[in-house]
Structures are given as C-alpha cells and as structure tokens.
Amino acid sequence: MGSDNSLKNSKKVIKNTILLYFRSFLSMFIGIYSSRVILSSLGVIDYGIYSLIGGVVLALSFIQGALYQASQRFITVELGKESDNKKVNEVFCMTMNVHIILVLIIVITAEIAGIYLLNNQLKIPDDRLSIAFWVMQFSIATVAFNMISSPYTGIIIAHEDLGSFAYFDLLTSILKLLAAYAITFFSIDRLLLYAIFIFFSSFFIRQLYAFFCLKKYKEKASYHFLWRRDLFKSMISFSVWTTLSAFTSTFRRQGYNIIYNIFYGILINPAFGIANQVSNAVMGFVGNFGTAFMPRITKNYTAGYLESTYKFIRINAKVSYFIVLIFAIPLIVECDYILNLWLGNVPPHTATVLSIILIQGMMMILSYGVHVGVRARGKVKNYELILNFATIVGFLIFYISFYLGGAYYIPLLITVIIQFLTSTISVFLGHKLIGFSFSTYIKQVYLKMFLLTLLGFLIPLMISILLEESTFRFILIGFVSISSLPVLFYYIGLDTAEKDISIQIIQSIKNKYSHKKNRMNV
C-alpha cells in the first residue's frame, strides 16, 4: 500500500512542482530584472539604504515562511484526519488568532530595535535619516500584512492547490516590478515612494488571498473569533519555536548587512542588496520543491508511512541542491561577466559576496526536508532551541572575526563553515526525533551532492581558465552546466529506487501525453 501511494504521491508532487517552477522561473527573472531597475532609479546610496532598512521586508520573509508552514502543518494534519469543515475552520480561526498575536510582538520588537539601530549604530548620511525612518515604517507595515496572509497561504498549500499559490506569487513579483518602474515617473523622493508602493502591493495581495479563500474554501477559511485553549496551547508552542528559529535566521542574515555597514560604511550594503536579491531569487525557485513536498511529508508522517516520509525528505534535499547547483555554477564561474552585463555599474565586492552567499545557501539546503519532517511530528521545542543556539554562536563567531582583522570576505567564508555544521546538527537531530538513518542520509545526500558538485564545476572551471572572458565563454559554460548536470544527477545523485520512480513518472507523463494526442487525432 505504501509503495503504491509512493508513486501516486510522487506524481502529484511532480505536477505541483512543475506549476511552481513555471511561476518561479518567471518570478526569479522578474525579481532580478527589478533589481537593475531599482538600482538605476535610486542610485547606489539610496539602494544601499533600502537594502539595509527596507531589506527587512526581504529578511523577514523567512519569518512569514515559518508562519505559513505552521498554518499549513495544523490544517494539513486536520485534513489528514478527514475532519469535517467545521473542525478545519476552527483550526484556521485559531491559526489566525495566533498569527495576530505573533505579528504584534514582531512589529513592536522591530520598531524598538529599528529605531535604536537607526539613531545609534547605522552609518546613514544625515540628510537621508528622516527618509530612512519612514522607509522603515512602511517596511514593517509590509511585513505585518505579509504575515497576516499566512493562514490563507497555509490553507491553499494544505489542499495542495499549488497552481493557485503559484499565480498569487507571480502576481506579487509583477507588482514589485511595476513599483520599480513607477517610481521613475515621479520627481518626489523615489526611495520613500518605492517603500510606499511595496506596502500597497502587499496590502492588495493580502486582500486578494482572503477573497480567493473565502470563495473557494468558504466553510473552512471564513474567519470569526473563537477560542480553544487546547488548540492555542499546541499552536502557540509550535508557532513560537518555529517563528523564533526564523527570527534568529533573519537576525543573522540581516545582521551580516548591519555589521558590514558599521565596519565598512553604506557603500558595501549595495553589494549585499544585489547578492541577496539574486540568492533569494534562486533559493525561492528551489523553495518551491519544498513547498510542493510540505503537505505530502506531513500527511505521510501523520498516516504512519515512515519509509515514504524518509524517502521524500531525502529526495527533497537532493533535488533542491541539484537545482541550486545548476544556477550556482555559471553564476559563480562567470560572476563578474554576468553582473557587468546585468547591472553595468556593479557595486564594489558584489561578485565575491554573491558567490559566498550562494555557497552558504547550498550548505543550508543539505538539511532542507528534515525541518518539514520534524515539524510534521509537532514537538519542536528542543530541536529549535538547539538550532537557534548554534545559529547565535555562529553569529558571535562571525562578529568576533571582524576584530581579528583580515580581508572583508573572511567573515563570510566563516559563515559557510558555520552553515555546514548547523545543517549537519539539524540532520542528526532529525535522525533522533523522527527515526531515519543518519548514516544513510549522509551517504545519500551529503556524499552524493558533494561528488556532484566537484564533477559539475570541473569542466566549467577548465573552460574559464582556457578561454578569455566573452559572451561565447558564458554561453558555453551555461550550456555545459544545463546539459551535463541532469545526467550526472541521475547517475550519481539518485539511488536505485529513486531512478525507478523517476522512470515510472516520466513514462506515465509520456503515456498521458500520447493518449491525449491520439484522442485529438481521432
């Protein structure tokens, strides 16, 4: 029974993933192109300020992700029990209550910390301080509206309606691009205007989510105030720990930017802004695979299909890593060429910062599916506490490294090592909590992905050494990466069972296509 379900569920996940990838591919290029438009419109200084202050929107998107994972987890568990609409609605309403409480706490914390940093620590030109303050206010409001959308996002994902989720996310990217273009038509302060446009975009998307869910899932997603102490206790425990973990990660991520500003000034922040924009576009593209797998891992674990759960956790990590590698190889090898082609006027140190941040992201992906598996179990306090402690220790080591001297990129290289150790700790804790084999995971994910990385970089690096920088070299490296990596991944990255499932899925898609074609011919 578990084996039959595995193929059926794999096909459903693949279908959902294709929908998300189509959206993500467009969103990624829209996001990257938007960066060029924004940099051109704002200039280096104002772009640096937005990366530093308004970048809270980008950074706190990780907290939003943690919140909708919490929403999705509880709603999915209730759907897995085949509960009636009333019980699912109770979970939805209580999820909204918990989110409102958490959003209030986060907004108050962001206000206090933001005002202190703005007035006492950050190096921002005096004539831009007042604008930076209002950018911060609109950025925090944007975060609040994004987070309040999480229960609606959660109910869509829990129903595995990822086509609708993909369209909403694509619309969000389009609105951001329109905002970037719109500010070029106004003579008033463009930095402030951009922050205002992004705020109204988030407000509009939030209302659209609510309208859609009320139309499609009316009996489940209709909010009214109710209070169930038992649900609140379990939800707040789960949400607080997962949100705290996301907050710690956000603090570390934005903290890098802040510390570099304190030690090097505002001129290095554009490099982080561009690097984070590209990195988040790539990681967002990859995150779709995780999003497609979230409800399936949760349902399988809840139903007791443990081997299937472990298999999905491993394949999630491997495919996610493979996708990042396809982008990372040409981006790292041809970083200077791509940035000059894309931006023209490239902020100092952008190529180095981008390359290291991409490598750090690859280290994070090694434990990708483990988080979902542990959270499907529900009891996450000890897991999140240990990981948060490791993250904070890593951040302190990063901060101390500035006092030890050396080049600006040394602290960033340290973060790569720290991320690798944190991911390994996460896998070990997952092994203890949900029972998969630690040694199997290391062999199937770590060793295979590291071998794939070495072989994947080998030919592109040789090409970059032998040929002068040119459009031809860039196209050649891109072609080699895209054509060789899927083959290497199939033979090196997948085990026998995964290869069999892949062949069955491809054959099933081919048969379905042939059947439709034959019907059209008739």
Side-chain angles (χ1 to χ4, degrees):
M1 182 178 179
S3 179
D4 293 337
N5 281 337
S6 180
L7 177 59
K8 181 181 177 182
N9 293 337
S10 296
K11 288 163 67 175
K12 188 168 187 177
V13 168
I14 293 296
K15 178 185 174 183
N16 285 332
T17 305
I18 290 170
L19 285 170
L20 288 172
Y21 279 162
F22 171 74
R23 182 277 300 178
S24 225
F25 199 71
L26 291 175
S27 294
M28 181 177 65
F29 281 101
I30 290 171
I32 290 173
Y33 182 69
S34 296
S35 294
R36 178 187 177 118
V37 177
I38 297 165
L39 180 62
S40 175
S41 300
L42 297 181
V44 173
I45 298 296
D46 276 1
Y47 187 84
I49 293 172
Y50 189 78
S51 299
L52 188 62
I53 305 297
V56 72
V57 176
L58 200 62
L60 290 180
S61 64
F62 288 90
I63 294 177
Q64 183 191 357
L67 286 175
Y68 86 64
Q69 284 183 33
S71 304
Q72 176 271 136
R73 188 263 170 191
F74 282 95
I75 294 168
T76 301
V77 167
E78 205 62 40
L79 290 173
K81 296 176 183 176
E82 299 184 355
S83 303
D84 58 34
N85 289 341
K86 183 180 177 182
K87 289 184 179 179
V88 176
N89 180 249
E90 287 180 356
V91 172
F92 173 81
C93 292
M94 279 303 301
T95 301
M96 185 67 79
N97 292 338
V98 169
H99 279 57
I100 290 170
I101 293 169
L102 291 175
V103 165
L104 287 172
I105 294 170
I106 289 168
V107 166
I108 292 169
T109 304
E111 284 285 354
I112 294 170
I115 290 172
Y116 170 77
L117 289 171
L118 196 62
N119 293 324
N120 297 282
Q121 296 295 325
L122 301 182
K123 294 179 180 177
I124 294 174
D126 292 339
D127 61 333
R128 304 303 288 159
L129 270 176
S130 61
I131 294 296
F133 171 81
W134 286 109
V135 168
M136 183 183 75
Q137 297 306 312
F138 280 106
S139 298
I140 291 171
T142 300
V143 170
F145 275 110
N146 287 342
M147 290 179 181
I148 293 296
S149 301
S150 295
Y152 295 111
T153 310
I155 204 163
I156 292 172
I157 294 173
H159 282 87
E160 299 185 68
D161 184 10
L162 298 185
S164 300
F165 175 75
Y167 294 132
F168 279 119
D169 218 38
L170 180 59
L171 178 59
T172 302
S173 299
I174 292 171
L175 288 176
K176 288 179 180 178
L177 177 60
L178 291 176
Y181 266 117
I183 63 174
T184 62
F185 296 100
F186 294 88
S187 57
I188 63 175
D189 196 288
R190 290 180 175 180
L191 175 58
L192 178 60
L193 191 62
Y194 182 68
I196 293 171
F197 282 166
I198 293 297
F199 164 73
F200 279 110
S201 298
S202 297
F203 177 77
F204 174 73
I205 291 294
R206 195 270 176 192
Q207 298 305 110
L208 206 59
Y209 264 120
F211 176 76
F212 173 81
C213 288
L214 284 172
K215 291 289 287 184
K216 190 166 185 178
Y217 308 110
K218 184 176 182 180
E219 295 180 349
K220 298 175 183 176
S222 177
Y223 177 76
H224 58 278
F225 183 79
L226 64 86
W227 194 262
R228 278 183 49 186
R229 188 175 178 181
D230 59 327
L231 267 179
F232 176 76
K233 188 176 178 180
S234 57
M235 281 184 180
I236 200 69
S237 176
F238 184 91
S239 298
V240 163
W241 292 115
T242 54
T243 304
L244 180 63
S245 182
F247 190 81
T248 304
S249 177
T250 300
F251 171 78
R252 178 200 63 184
R253 192 179 181 87
Q254 194 66 3
Y256 296 160
N257 212 353
I258 291 169
I259 290 175
Y260 268 101
N261 172 266
I262 292 170
F263 279 87
Y264 291 94
I266 194 68
L267 289 176
I268 198 168
N269 292 119
F272 277 88
I274 295 294
N276 283 326
Q277 185 76 26
V278 176
S279 175
N280 280 304
V282 174
M283 296 300 289
F285 190 78
V286 172
N288 291 316
F289 202 79
T291 301
F293 266 80
M294 269 193 279
R296 185 51 48 196
I297 290 173
T298 303
K299 287 174 182 176
N300 279 355
Y301 186 83
T302 303
Y305 299 127
L306 296 183
E307 286 304 319
S308 180
T309 301
Y310 304 154
K311 190 182 298 180
F312 277 128
I313 287 172
R314 289 196 301 270
I315 195 69
N316 185 1
K318 288 197 279 190
V319 175
S320 297
Y321 189 96
F322 159 70
I323 293 165
V324 170
L325 196 59
I326 285 181
F327 289 103
I329 289 174
L331 277 172
I332 292 172
V333 176
E334 289 289 324
C335 201
D336 288 315
Y337 178 83
I338 293 170
L339 288 171
N340 280 300
L341 184 67
W342 168 35
L343 297 173
N345 182 24
V346 182
H349 312 305
T350 303
T352 304
V353 173
L354 173 57
S355 298
I356 297 174
I357 286 178
L358 283 171
I359 295 169
Q360 183 190 22
M362 290 163 66
M363 297 300 100
M364 181 179 69
I365 285 171
L366 291 170
S367 60
Y368 230 45
V370 175
H371 299 299
V372 181
V374 172
R375 289 167 182 176
R377 178 177 177 265
K379 297 178 180 179
V380 296
K381 178 181 177 181
N382 292 334
Y383 176 79
E384 301 292 353
L385 270 177
I386 294 171
L387 287 186
N388 287 338
F389 179 74
T391 300
I392 291 169
V393 169
F395 182 78
L396 291 174
I397 294 171
F398 168 80
Y399 185 78
I400 291 168
S401 66
F402 280 89
Y403 290 99
L404 300 179
Y408 71 94
Y409 54 82
I410 297 298
L412 278 177
L413 289 174
I414 290 171
T415 66
V416 173
I417 299 169
I418 292 166
Q419 184 60 67
F420 173 79
L421 294 174
T422 304
S423 291
T424 307
I425 291 169
S426 174
V427 173
F428 181 76
L429 292 173
H431 145 71
K432 289 290 186 182
L433 292 170
I434 58 177
F436 62 79
S437 169
F438 180 73
S439 60
T440 299
Y441 194 98
I442 295 298
K443 291 174 186 175
Q444 287 291 321
V445 179
Y446 277 58
L447 296 182
K448 288 191 173 187
M449 293 306 99
F450 286 158
L451 180 58
L452 180 70
T453 303
L454 289 173
L455 294 176
F457 267 101
L458 183 62
I459 297 177
L461 282 174
M462 289 175 63
I463 293 171
S464 71
I465 292 170
L466 295 173
L467 300 179
E468 293 290 328
E469 185 182 276
S470 63
T471 303
F472 172 74
R473 191 181 81 174
F474 167 64
I475 293 172
L476 181 61
I477 287 173
F479 174 77
V480 168
S481 298
I482 293 170
S483 58
S484 64
L485 269 178
V487 177
L488 289 171
F489 180 69
Y490 179 81
Y491 285 104
I492 296 173
L494 301 179
D495 61 25
T496 304
E498 290 162 352
K499 287 176 184 175
D500 290 342
I501 289 176
S502 301
I503 292 170
Q504 290 178 58
I505 290 171
I506 293 168
Q507 190 61 49
S508 174
I509 293 171
K510 285 173 64 179
N511 291 341
K512 191 173 182 180
Y513 174 77
S514 300
H515 182 62
K516 283 185 178 179
K517 191 175 179 181
N518 291 334
R519 280 171 53 189
M520 289 176 65
N521 291 335
V522 172

